[in-house]
Amino acid sequence: MRRQFTSHAISVVAFAAIAFVPALAADNSAIKDKAAVCSGCHGENGISQTENIPSLAGQPDQFIQWQLVFFRAGSRKNDQMQPIAEEITNEDIRNFGAYFSQMTPPKGAEDNDPDLSKKGAQVAIGRRCASCHTDSFAGTKAVARLAGQREEYLVKALHDYKAGTRVGGGVAAMADVAYHMSDEEITAVSHYLAYFK
């Protein structure tokens, strides 16, 4: 527990060094070239086509920056992201945040199970998801966009929060919310958010 707190504290200090510096209007082609490595997993135009890999398009700028800092500091674990994040600079982090946040987010497809979405909407209301993620579930500042995100990724993220294996901004709130959710609630709310329009 102490190690996790220390790791989180280091991440916060590291992020403070880059957090509220406006993203520079760097050469867009240079950013695009650097971001090309991201598209291998996160998809062309930031829309993932790969299971358990999130879409980045339309995620809030600060949210992307925070997650990259957590990966770079090692407080958020992922075998694929760790080596990539270790190589990026503070300027890269600011530029990636600005770059992906300006992309058109994925749109929810036609809902193939509206009854499950109805249950998921009730879970979202009961768990007060909109109080942080906004009424449109588009996220804001350092809070993730959920609308249109890959369904199985949302399920995985909620299970990771529930198990205490995922840390990051808002971890206390998310861990508390997810801990009290049943598997059925996680499935329903993930479906609802993935198809939310």
Side-chain angles (χ1 to χ4, degrees):
M1 179 71 150
R2 184 179 180 95
R3 184 171 168 231
Q4 185 176 359
F5 174 79
T6 303
S7 180
H8 184 67
I10 290 168
S11 297
V12 170
V13 170
F15 187 72
I18 63 169
F20 300 104
V21 179
L24 303 174
D27 177 14
N28 199 39
S29 64
I31 296 168
K32 193 172 182 178
D33 288 345
K34 280 195 169 187
V37 71
C38 307
S39 65
C41 294
H42 293 281
E44 197 67 31
N45 298 316
I47 299 178
S48 173
Q49 304 299 316
T50 307
E51 188 174 352
N52 286 322
I53 304 286
S55 293
L56 300 179
Q59 286 291 345
D61 185 344
Q62 286 183 30
F63 174 75
I64 291 172
Q65 289 189 50
W66 269 109
Q67 299 313 304
L68 289 171
V69 168
F70 290 136
F71 282 125
R72 188 173 68 179
S75 59
R76 184 171 173 195
K77 308 286 186 201
N78 181 283
D79 291 340
Q80 287 75 39
M81 281 300 301
Q82 227 78 48
I84 294 167
E86 286 170 2
E87 298 298 316
I88 60 178
T89 66
N90 288 349
E91 183 180 3
D92 291 335
I93 288 173
R94 287 191 294 272
N95 288 336
F96 286 147
Y99 179 73
F100 286 109
S101 70
Q102 293 166 13
M103 289 182 163
T104 303
K107 300 272 189 249
E110 199 58 43
D111 192 347
N112 59 5
D113 192 345
D115 289 339
L116 186 58
S117 282
K118 192 178 288 187
K119 291 176 187 170
Q122 292 169 344
V123 173
I125 291 167
R127 300 296 179 185
R128 299 180 34 213
C129 300
S131 64
C132 293
H133 294 278
T134 75
D135 290 338
S136 64
F137 301 108
T140 181
K141 298 181 182 173
V143 179
R145 174 186 186 84
L146 303 177
Q149 186 57 270
R150 292 186 63 86
E151 184 173 353
E152 82 287 340
Y153 176 75
L154 293 171
V155 169
K156 178 188 182 316
L158 285 168
H159 279 294
D160 287 349
Y161 278 120
K162 182 174 181 167
T165 58
R166 178 167 173 175
V167 299
V171 67
M174 280 308 305
D176 186 54
V177 169
Y179 182 77
H180 298 286
M181 292 175 77
S182 67
D183 288 349
E184 292 77 13
E185 287 179 312
I186 288 174
T187 297
V189 77
S190 297
H191 182 83
Y192 168 66
L193 293 167
Y195 288 96
F196 187 87
K197 293 182 181 181

